[in-house]
Amino acid sequence: MKIIWKVVYIRNLLLDVFYPEKCMLCGKLLAESPGGVCKACRSRMPYILGDRCIKCSKRTDGLHDVCMDCKRRRHIYRQGYALFEYDRNTERVIADIKYAGKWRNIDWLTKELAYHASLYMKKWDAQLIVPVPLHKSKLRKRGFNQAGLVAGLIADEYNIPYDDKLVIRRKKTRPQKNLDDNERKRNLKNVFCVDRSRYGKYVDLRTVILVDDIYTSGSTVDACAAELIKAGVKDVYFLALCIGNGYS
């Protein structure tokens, strides 16, 4: 068992004794082995099943390989994978992690993501995993970067190096969710950069996976990918817990 999973396992044992695990959706105690959601709520978690966009992983109608969002804009990243659709249930689960301190939910979500993304991980053969960073002021206020927690667990599961300081968020930005496509791009202009001194320690770094909790239009992933490619990376991929409907 990898070191991060050991820490998570021990922490969860203690939590199970003093704070028995509850279903992320209905709040009932989980009588069975810990698993995020109870059997009754399992169908409420919106796994993306069936046809996916070959670029961003968004659900498609089966008639096209690429979703309408990826047809209308050229992404900088190479390919991505997301596990769930971003609906009212996943929105609530992610909000509970960010604002209600329900870190335990990340464990189950990440294990699911690691399992279902295995074919992509093998194909991509990444040399480094990097989370989409928070601005330092938000990191101080929240105390953690949810994308960093997911990325660290994925990296440990697949035995891939992890660096949460390689990509830096230089500026505070407006929330992306209420902006249109052009506003998102302007909002992220010159926001990210790569720490060149850290980058210099990697020899022949060709392939990087960016990790975020939610993917909507791809503007954030593209902005980070652009900086990594500018620094010398050849291919950038992404993993996300959830993916929104974008503009299609």
Side-chain angles (χ1 to χ4, degrees):
M1 190 183 293
K2 308 291 193 306
I3 185 64
I4 290 182
W5 289 118
K6 284 184 179 179
V7 172
V8 169
Y9 178 73
I10 294 170
R11 185 197 68 189
N12 284 353
L13 282 179
L14 295 174
L15 287 172
D16 288 339
V17 172
F18 298 104
Y19 303 97
E21 190 171 7
K22 298 179 180 179
C23 173
M24 293 188 295
L25 296 180
C26 71
K28 292 181 180 178
L29 288 176
L30 291 175
E32 305 156 1
S33 59
V37 294
C38 65
K39 279 188 176 180
C41 290
R42 189 81 179 192
S43 62
R44 295 171 59 195
M45 288 300 289
Y47 288 86
I48 301 172
L49 304 173
D51 297 302
R52 292 170 173 262
C53 173
I54 61 174
K55 186 71 175 180
C56 75
S57 182
K58 197 173 296 175
R59 187 193 300 276
T60 63
D61 56 13
L63 301 176
H64 304 91
D65 290 335
V66 179
C67 70
M68 293 303 296
D69 289 341
C70 290
K71 282 184 178 179
R72 65 188 292 273
R73 67 178 294 179
R74 185 174 180 273
H75 289 293
I76 295 170
Y77 66 80
R78 177 72 67 181
Q79 190 181 34
Y81 179 88
L83 182 58
F84 300 106
E85 290 186 275
Y86 189 57
D87 69 355
R88 60 187 180 84
N89 288 323
T90 48
E91 179 181 20
R92 177 180 147 203
V93 168
I94 297 296
D96 281 346
I97 292 169
K98 290 181 179 179
Y99 311 118
K102 296 185 179 181
W103 290 18
R104 185 188 293 183
N105 293 350
I106 286 181
D107 305 339
W108 182 79
L109 292 171
T110 303
K111 286 177 182 177
E112 287 290 287
L113 177 60
Y115 173 76
H116 288 278
S118 60
L119 292 179
Y120 289 81
M121 295 295 291
K122 184 177 181 180
K123 180 175 70 171
W124 295 343
D125 192 24
Q127 298 163 293
L128 186 68
I129 290 183
V130 174
V132 171
L134 289 178
H135 186 264
K136 59 184 178 181
S137 61
K138 184 174 285 188
L139 185 60
R140 281 196 301 267
K141 182 178 180 180
R142 187 177 297 169
F144 66 97
N145 177 5
Q146 67 283 351
L149 295 178
V150 175
L153 290 170
I154 292 286
D156 208 47
E157 175 71 5
Y158 283 96
N159 196 27
I160 300 172
Y162 162 78
D163 193 332
D164 64 349
K165 295 180 176 62
L166 183 64
V167 178
I168 301 166
R169 186 184 288 255
R170 295 185 290 195
K171 303 177 184 177
K172 291 181 68 175
T173 55
R174 297 161 59 196
Q176 290 279 93
K177 65 180 182 179
N178 296 321
L179 305 179
D180 64 29
D181 202 17
N182 289 326
E183 289 172 331
R184 286 169 188 255
K185 291 176 184 177
R186 288 196 296 271
N187 193 41
L188 293 172
K189 188 175 182 180
N190 298 322
V191 166
F192 300 105
C193 67
V194 169
D195 184 328
R196 294 305 178 105
S197 63
R198 292 186 71 86
Y199 186 85
K201 73 179 185 179
Y202 297 106
V203 178
D204 194 24
L205 182 59
R206 302 179 307 279
T207 307
V208 172
I209 294 176
L210 280 167
V211 177
D212 208 355
D213 55 345
I214 304 166
Y215 174 109
T216 306
S217 68
S219 297
T220 301
V221 172
D222 276 334
C224 292
E227 295 303 314
L228 285 166
I229 290 170
K230 190 188 300 181
V233 174
K234 182 177 182 291
D235 293 317
V236 178
Y237 300 89
F238 81 81
L239 287 175
L241 292 174
C242 310
I243 191 163
N245 292 323
Y247 304 111
S248 57

